[in-house]
Amino acid sequence: MKRIALLSDTHTHLDESLFKHLEGCDEVWHAGDIGNIETADRLAGYAPLKAVYGNADGQDVRQVHPLHQRFKCEEVDVWMTHIGGYPKRYDINVRDEIKRNPPQLFISGHSHILKVMFDKELNLLHINPGAAGMQGFHQVQTLIRFTIDGKQIKDMEVVEFGAKGK
């Protein structure tokens, strides 16, 4: 069983209140636009980090973290990328592969819009954790915590931990 903290779009900003929500997590996953390698390293100091680079990330992040990560967590097939779209509107760069070989869990960031959707057609769960940084139009910083236990994804919770301008 693994407890996961999933975030995206930090754009170098790590609110101090974020770190209490990483306590008790076995891994931290970041769905891109980390900002810089120092931000990634700071997150990795709390728990092992799985991350992908986003369109706003520089070479320092791109040299360490891939564009896509496809991996197993427990018995769940996970695919994480930054620009992935969502059910019925997958990005053109992932659309063919996701239809040909769908994961059980598809994670993307980029939009700064928190979404948890089940794709009935492909039988997969899509998660976008919103944005954990300050850059962008979102008003509240968010992350998602959940547990993967064998083949089950459970105990999902949305965490709002900061508000812009406050």
Side-chain angles (χ1 to χ4, degrees), residues 3 22 24-28 40-50:
R3 186 81 172 139
L22 304 183
C25 291
D26 300 300
E27 294 181 355
V28 175
D41 290 346
R42 190 159 177 220
L43 289 168
Y46 283 83
L49 176 66
K50 282 188 169 64

Side-chain angles (χ1 to χ4, degrees), residues 34 37 51-54 57-67:
I34 299 166
I37 202 64
V52 295
Y53 72 78
D57 286 320
Q59 288 303 311
D60 60 339
V61 174
R62 291 171 189 236
Q63 289 175 356
V64 177
H65 301 288
L67 175 61

